[in-house]
């Protein structure tokens, strides 16, 4: 019995894997295979992470200001350079500086109305070529600074015209008005540079008002319909539709380009998102604030539904919320205040100018942003010099690096 207990049957021994010689020989091989598999998995994971980083780096090349594109275009044909300058000018209308964003916006305008798209294209090209011909600063031309005012003038001339689409005589005031913007821009620049202020859309606002005053509503060649004050009471007694108000917030972004269609407005918002997610968020926020201000002043429902109540608030919020000021919780609240002030100023100016049939355009947002840039106090520390303004995310990183450098300098000089 003792011998039987010491030596169990062969079948029992085979059921115990630790007792087989073949398994002992297989053990090192299995370990090596397991190590090889682990190495392959880690290598595949590293390759996947590397590919993801390359894809992300490639996508980031199309965001922000795309400065690398300017270096690539230096030795290219003038026509290609002009196209990039023009697309930057298109994007500058909505405070962006990205040619790909400009291309998306231009596509949105053609989607909404091919005639308006053509007028916008002609306006930005006319003003940009005028700047080249009269020898304006090359950095301003390549940055699109001489294109966006001309585009806005051409779009508003088309919107207010009662002659209908494809009225070819309208191309004459479009080209002349767009070209005149360059002279106003050049004349205002040295004046506003004394206070480090941007020329912004002062030329556009001046030219479009002068054009509408010159032509009048009954002009036989260039007739236009008069602007309606937003404060006129509703006569149909209809109730406010919440869905239409929400839709009007989105349209407020498109109305910056005088576009009142939802699909193209979403594409315009996507173009801003491509340039800067922070700027896109402030565009929507400002449009919502402008709509809220319109509700508080009981403006016409049509102004709320069409987005006309929101676009000045969007511009005022975008200018302060990360573009001309480094983003922080203080400047964020400052941007909301700017949006409210722009919206209320727009209602006041629209009611005033509407009595003589003139639109307020973007006077409210332009004047409000200019005043905000002149403020002193603690918020002035967040102000970005006009020559250094870039995408809000880049401005934020630059300020962080600057503050880190100043801290390091102070530590090095401490005794």
């Amino acid at each position: 019995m003792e011998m039987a207990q010491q030596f169990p049957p062969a079948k029992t021994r085979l059921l115990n894997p630790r007792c087989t010689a073949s398994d002992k020989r297989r053990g090192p091989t299995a370990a090596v295979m397991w190590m090889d598999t682990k190495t392959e998995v880690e290598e595949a994971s590293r390759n996947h992470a590397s590919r993801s980083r390359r894809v992300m780096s490639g996508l980031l090349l199309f965001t922000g200001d795309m400065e690398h594109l300017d270096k690539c275009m230096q030795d290219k044909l003038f026509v290609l350079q002009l196209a990039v300058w023009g697309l930057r000018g298109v994007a500058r209308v909505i405070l962006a500086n990205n040619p790909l964003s400009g291309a998306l916006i231009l596509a949105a305008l053609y989607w909404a109305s091919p005639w308006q798209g053509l007028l916008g294209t002609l306006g930005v090209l006319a003003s940009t070529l005028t700047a080249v011909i009269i020898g304006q600063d090359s950095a301003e031309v390549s940055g699109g600074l001489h294109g966006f005012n001309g585009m806005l003038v051409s779009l508003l001339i088309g919107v207010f015209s009662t002659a209908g689409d494809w009225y070819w005589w309208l191309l004459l005031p479009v080209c002349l008005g767009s070209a005149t913007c360059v002279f106003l821009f050049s004349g205002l620049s040295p004046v506003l540079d004394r206070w480090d202020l941007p020329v912004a859309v002062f030329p556009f606002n001046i030219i479009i008002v002068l054009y509408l005053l010159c032509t009048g509503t009954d002009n036989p060649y260039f007739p236009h319909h008069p602007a309606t004050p937003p404060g006129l009471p509703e006569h149909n007694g209809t109730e406010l539709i919440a869905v239409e108000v929400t839709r009007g917030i989105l349209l407020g972004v498109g109305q910056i380009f005088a576009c009142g269609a939802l699909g193209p407005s979403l594409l315009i918002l996507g173009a801003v998102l491509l340039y800067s997610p922070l700027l896109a968020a402030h565009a929507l926020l400002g449009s919502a604030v402008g709509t809220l201000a319109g509700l508080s002043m009981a403006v016409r429902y049509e102004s709320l539904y069409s987005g006309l109540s929101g676009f000045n608030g969007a511009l005022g919020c975008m200018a302060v919320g990360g573009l001309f000021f480094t983003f922080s919780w203080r400047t964020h609240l400052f941007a909301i205040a700017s949006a409210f002030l722009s919206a209320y100023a727009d209602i006041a100016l629209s009611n005033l100018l509407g009595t003589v049939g003139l639109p307020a355009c973007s006077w409210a947002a332009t004047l409000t942003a200019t005043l905000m840039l002149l403020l002193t106090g603690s918020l002035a520390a967040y102000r970005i010099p006009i020559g250094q303004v870039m995408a809000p995310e880049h401005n934020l990183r630059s300020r962080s690096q600057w503050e880190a450098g100043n801290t390091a300098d102070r530590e090095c000089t401490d005794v």
Side-chain angles (χ1 to χ4, degrees):
M1 290 295 293
E2 293 177 359
M3 294 293 292
Q5 292 176 357
Q6 292 177 2
F7 300 99
K11 183 177 181 180
T12 305
R13 291 199 307 269
L14 290 174
L15 292 175
N16 186 356
R18 289 175 295 178
C19 298
T20 60
S22 60
D23 284 340
K24 289 181 180 180
R25 290 192 301 269
R26 194 182 300 119
T29 305
V32 172
M33 292 178 62
W34 180 80
M35 291 297 293
D36 291 342
T37 304
K38 181 180 179 181
T39 303
E40 292 174 358
V41 170
E42 291 177 349
E43 184 67 23
S45 177
R46 284 194 295 269
N47 290 337
H48 178 72
S50 178
R51 284 196 299 270
S52 299
R53 285 193 296 270
R54 286 197 298 269
V55 170
M56 185 59 65
S57 300
L59 291 176
L60 289 176
L61 291 175
F62 300 101
T63 63
D65 296 89
M66 291 185 67
E67 292 179 296
H68 58 278
L69 183 61
D70 293 334
K71 299 177 181 177
C72 297
M73 298 300 297
Q74 288 178 353
D75 56 346
K76 298 298 187 294
L77 295 174
F78 174 75
V79 175
L80 297 178
Q81 293 180 356
L82 180 63
V84 174
W85 301 342
L87 291 176
R88 286 192 183 275
V90 173
R92 288 278 191 179
V93 173
I94 201 164
L95 306 180
N97 184 19
N98 185 309
L100 186 55
S101 295
L104 292 175
I105 293 169
L106 200 59
L109 293 178
Y110 275 101
W111 179 12
S113 169
W115 174 242
Q116 282 293 100
L118 176 62
L119 291 181
T121 304
L122 188 61
V124 72
L125 288 177
S127 55
T128 303
L129 283 173
T130 302
V132 173
I133 292 172
I134 66 175
Q136 291 298 295
D137 183 71
S138 59
E140 292 181 351
V141 174
S142 61
L145 291 176
H146 287 286
F148 65 94
N149 278 289
M151 182 176 194
L152 282 172
V153 166
S154 62
L155 290 176
L156 266 293
I157 288 176
V159 166
F160 280 97
S161 174
T162 57
D165 291 352
W166 312 111
Y167 180 65
W168 297 107
W169 284 108
L170 205 63
L171 301 184
L172 179 61
V174 162
C175 292
L176 290 177
S178 300
T180 307
C181 286
V182 180
F183 295 96
L184 278 178
F185 191 100
S186 179
L188 290 172
S189 290
V191 177
L192 295 174
D193 280 347
R194 297 177 183 177
W195 297 278
D196 193 31
L197 293 174
V199 177
V201 289
F202 279 114
F204 150 68
N205 285 307
I206 294 171
I207 292 298
I208 194 64
V209 170
L210 290 177
Y211 166 78
L212 294 176
L213 284 173
C214 286
T215 55
T217 56
D218 300 323
N219 190 283
Y221 306 112
F222 309 111
H224 66 265
H225 59 80
T228 305
L232 291 179
E234 298 286 341
H235 299 291
N236 52 10
T238 57
E239 294 183 356
L240 191 68
I241 304 174
V243 175
E244 291 295 322
V245 174
T246 305
R247 182 173 177 269
I249 294 175
L250 296 173
L251 291 178
V253 180
Q255 285 291 359
I256 296 174
F257 289 88
C259 176
L262 182 59
S265 296
L266 290 174
L267 185 55
I268 291 171
L269 181 61
V272 181
L273 183 66
L274 175 67
Y275 174 67
S276 166
L278 196 59
L279 202 64
H282 279 86
L284 274 180
L285 176 63
S287 183
V289 168
T291 302
L292 182 61
L295 284 170
S296 68
M297 291 291 103
V299 301
R300 291 183 301 109
Y301 292 167
E302 180 60 29
S303 295
L304 299 173
Y305 297 161
S306 64
L308 290 175
S309 294
F311 80 94
N312 266 283
L315 287 171
C317 192
M318 293 165 70
V320 177
L323 190 68
F324 294 115
F325 292 83
T326 307
F327 179 74
S328 69
W329 67 269
R330 288 187 179 87
T331 55
H332 181 63
L333 297 177
F334 190 37
I336 296 175
S338 176
F340 270 113
L341 183 57
S342 298
Y344 284 123
D346 177 56
I347 295 172
L349 290 174
S350 296
N351 285 330
L352 176 64
L353 295 175
T355 57
V356 291
L358 292 176
C361 299
S362 58
W363 275 109
T366 306
L367 293 173
T368 300
T370 302
L371 289 174
M372 294 298 181
L373 291 172
L374 289 172
L375 287 179
T376 58
S378 60
L379 286 173
Y382 295 91
R383 168 79 187 278
I384 301 171
I386 296 302
Q388 300 177 17
V389 171
M390 298 185 72
E393 290 78 9
H394 184 277
N395 294 336
L396 193 58
R397 288 194 301 269
S398 298
R399 181 178 178 84
S400 300
Q401 294 170 0
W402 175 77
E403 289 179 343
N406 281 356
T407 302
D409 290 342
R410 285 195 300 269
E411 291 176 353
C412 291
T413 55
D414 286 340
V415 179

